[in-house]
Amino acid sequence: MNSHTNKKGFVYLVGAGPGDPELITKRGIDKLKVCDAVVYDRLAGEQLLSLVSSSCEKINVGKRVGNHPVKQEEINQILVRLGQEGKTVVRLKGGDSFVFGRGGEEILALEEEGIGYELVPGVTSAIAVPELAGIPVTHRGAARSFHVITGHTASLNSDNTTVEDDQFEAFAKLKGTLVFLMGVQNIDKITEKLMEYGKSKDTLAAVISNGASKKERVVRGTLQTISQIVKEEKVEAPAIIVIGDVAGFSMKCQDERPLAGCKVGITGTRHMVKKLTGKLENEGAHCIDLSYSNIEPIENAKFETALQSLGNYTWVVLTSTNGVHLFFKKMKQLRIDQRELASIQFAVIGKGTEDTLEEYGYYADYMPEKYTTLDLANGLVRKLKKEDRLFIPRAKNGSPELTKVFKEHEVHYDDIKIYEMKSNIELRDEKLKQVEDLDYITFASAEGVRGFFENLQEEQFEWMKEVQFACIGEVTAKTLLEEQERTSIVSKDYTATGLAKTIISHQEKDGRQQDEK
């Protein structure tokens, strides 16, 4: 690590790891969350871009085989420019910046201009991708060393010799594992040259395409056969070539968990995303955060007046975990003693709201068996006395069914809007660009369905045709059917646990049907 003390910006060279966004370091995540600009490569894991702030400048300098839209010299100048503008910059690279990532060249450019920098190492794909495919680059009795080589080594001169032809003689004599990065386009030349210089044609070989991702493919053969196998199987970049005895290993435990291999996109509040992610990942799923809404408190004088007059109420009706948090947060801001709640009863819409209420030391006096607004209203009406008065702090777009029932039964209530859910369509679109091949997308509310599909582009609908939607509750499912003409699997248990069980049940049933075919 090196840095210069100056008043200019600062650049973090962050290795994003081998492809799976969960394999970046914590420090890398921390820097992404606070940077003013991110300069990223194609292999840097675009899902990581969802971590940056909405104001962060995102610059794609990704390179594809045969197509280099941004030259390395230009990338250097981009980093220098951003640094001179006084910005905190993350240069996000696939794998590690110093393993054929040309990080050293970028550092020299920064040093020349006196711009400070820090290196944040990444897990290199040279080790991680074979490992995730079950291939150890070293193993007792098979390989005591490994050698990482750029696949571009096999570029040809006009006389049909390779640029570094003499090096292949050395490579062929090495006893350890040979790992070629970025070499699938040159696999013919690589294998031919190794055999030409004495490497046995029977040496084991493997090629791993799209490693550390759901699209991972592994093909195996020998030095003599692997090139043809790659062509027949249409193996494409990004891919890693492993040559040596270790290529015969397949140290991958078969995951027997019910959702192993499933990829689930989760919409909803941060609380729902966190809770459902935990439930599903314990069952083997890979979860993608598709939340795109923010909770914005509403400055409401009626809310403050109601809290300062708690003695006028006998019930507080809570219809969400957000409402619970904002209720007690405002009490604290107004310095209202919680002993004012001593004679008040609480009604909650469901288990999640009940659990959140308990975090503040209070227990629900009523919760309906079915966690719906209508059941909450009808059930509570049967418990109320004529003199009862209700305080309902809830979302701006809360269901009108609640107050409709109360009006019909002449219940005294104050329905006070204390927050609203604001959809960030740009954030939603950014997240959707970074996902593909989802098996499920979950919805926790009718409002969530409407927000998710608002102004969605036609091409985004295309890849969702094969996705199974999963909804909490019949109301959410009905909204999806009415507005998008899409059916869904429905959890009648209105909780994250219930939805997880519904997805597991559907997946197991689907698996049985596939077996029968």
Side-chain angles (χ1 to χ4, degrees), residues 139-251:
H139 186 77
R140 187 174 182 180
R144 298 179 64 182
S145 62
F146 67 94
H147 312 272
V148 182
I149 307 161
T150 172
H152 296 314
T153 295
S155 300
L156 290 178
N157 287 321
S158 58
D159 63 355
N160 209 40
T161 62
T162 57
V163 173
E164 300 178 20
D165 201 52
D166 58 323
Q167 291 197 10
F168 272 94
E169 184 174 2
F171 297 156
K173 293 177 181 178
L174 292 170
K175 300 297 183 183
T177 304
L178 304 183
V179 180
F180 286 87
L181 305 184
M182 305 170 289
V184 71
Q185 299 297 318
N186 291 323
I187 192 167
D188 284 347
K189 311 297 186 300
I190 291 170
T191 54
E192 287 169 8
K193 286 295 178 182
L194 288 173
M195 287 187 289
E196 179 184 332
Y197 284 105
K199 200 79 169 172
S200 171
K201 62 181 176 49
D202 296 321
T203 303
L204 296 178
V207 176
I208 307 143
S209 172
N210 288 295
S213 77
K214 189 181 176 183
K215 287 184 171 182
E216 177 188 277
R217 290 183 64 203
V218 183
V219 296
R220 301 172 190 267
T222 65
L223 198 57
Q224 184 178 44
T225 64
I226 192 67
S227 178
Q228 185 61 32
I229 291 171
V230 164
K231 290 176 184 175
E232 291 173 355
E233 296 293 329
K234 297 180 180 179
V235 177
E236 298 179 345
I240 288 177
I241 304 166
V242 181
I243 297 171
D245 290 344
V246 296
F249 287 108
S250 182
M251 297 180 175

Side-chain angles (χ1 to χ4, degrees), residues 128-401:
V129 167
E131 180 176 335
L132 293 169
I135 300 173
V137 293
T138 65
H139 186 77
R140 187 174 182 180
R144 298 179 64 182
S145 62
F146 67 94
H147 312 272
V148 182
I149 307 161
T150 172
H152 296 314
T153 295
S155 300
L156 290 178
N157 287 321
S158 58
D159 63 355
N160 209 40
T161 62
T162 57
V163 173
E164 300 178 20
D165 201 52
D166 58 323
Q167 291 197 10
F168 272 94
E169 184 174 2
F171 297 156
K173 293 177 181 178
L174 292 170
K175 300 297 183 183
T177 304
L178 304 183
V179 180
F180 286 87
L181 305 184
M182 305 170 289
V184 71
Q185 299 297 318
N186 291 323
I187 192 167
D188 284 347
K189 311 297 186 300
I190 291 170
T191 54
E192 287 169 8
K193 286 295 178 182
L194 288 173
M195 287 187 289
E196 179 184 332
Y197 284 105
K199 200 79 169 172
S200 171
K201 62 181 176 49
D202 296 321
T203 303
L204 296 178
V207 176
I208 307 143
S209 172
N210 288 295
S213 77
K214 189 181 176 183
K215 287 184 171 182
E216 177 188 277
R217 290 183 64 203
V218 183
V219 296
R220 301 172 190 267
T222 65
L223 198 57
Q224 184 178 44
T225 64
I226 192 67
S227 178
Q228 185 61 32
I229 291 171
V230 164
K231 290 176 184 175
E232 291 173 355
E233 296 293 329
K234 297 180 180 179
V235 177
E236 298 179 345
I240 288 177
I241 304 166
V242 181
I243 297 171
D245 290 344
V246 296
F249 287 108
S250 182
M251 297 180 175
K252 292 192 77 170
C253 177
Q254 185 66 36
D255 194 340
E256 300 293 341
R257 291 177 296 176
L259 297 181
C262 282
K263 197 171 182 181
V264 184
I266 304 176
T267 71
T269 63
R270 289 190 181 91
H271 175 79
M272 172 57 73
V273 170
K274 182 178 179 181
K275 197 163 186 178
L276 186 54
T277 295
K279 301 287 184 184
L280 294 175
E281 288 189 342
N282 284 342
E283 300 299 333
H286 176 64
C287 296
I288 306 296
D289 178 359
L290 293 182
S291 60
Y292 55 88
S293 299
N294 294 317
I295 301 164
E296 292 195 6
I298 297 173
E299 292 301 323
N300 192 333
K302 290 182 179 179
F303 186 23
E304 295 188 6
T305 300
L307 287 173
Q308 291 166 339
S309 309
L310 286 171
N312 293 336
Y313 302 100
T314 54
W315 285 85
V316 172
V317 182
L318 298 164
T319 60
S320 70
T321 58
N322 298 322
V324 178
H325 289 307
L326 290 173
F327 177 85
F328 286 101
K329 182 178 181 180
K330 181 61 74 172
M331 282 191 68
K332 186 174 182 179
Q333 287 177 349
L334 297 175
R335 298 182 64 82
I336 296 174
D337 196 319
Q338 290 194 12
R339 284 175 291 188
E340 295 290 330
L341 298 170
S343 59
I344 288 180
Q345 292 179 285
F346 287 96
V348 297
I349 195 168
K351 192 68 171 63
T353 310
E354 179 188 48
D355 291 343
T356 305
L357 181 64
E358 289 183 11
E359 291 175 13
Y360 292 91
Y362 294 88
Y363 296 88
D365 298 281
Y366 176 71
M367 180 176 70
E369 289 186 12
K370 289 183 65 177
Y371 304 158
T372 69
T373 304
L374 188 58
D375 284 282
L376 172 63
N378 286 329
L380 187 55
V381 160
R382 291 192 289 269
K383 294 180 68 69
L384 295 176
K385 301 173 184 176
K386 188 174 182 180
E387 63 271 19
D388 281 324
R389 187 179 184 90
L390 279 53
F391 174 17
I392 313 171
R394 61 174 180 153
K396 182 178 180 179
N397 296 322
S399 172
E401 289 182 331

Side-chain angles (χ1 to χ4, degrees), residues 33-72:
K33 288 180 177 179
V34 299
C35 67
D36 303 311
V38 57
V39 181
Y40 63 99
D41 288 342
R42 180 175 66 97
L43 298 181
E46 290 196 356
Q47 288 182 40
L48 294 170
L49 298 182
S50 63
L51 296 172
V52 305
S53 68
S54 58
S55 61
C56 177
E57 181 180 0
K58 295 185 278 290
I59 303 174
N60 183 353
V61 295
K63 301 178 182 180
R64 294 180 182 273
V65 175
N67 177 24
H68 292 189
V70 184
K71 294 181 180 179
Q72 185 59 50

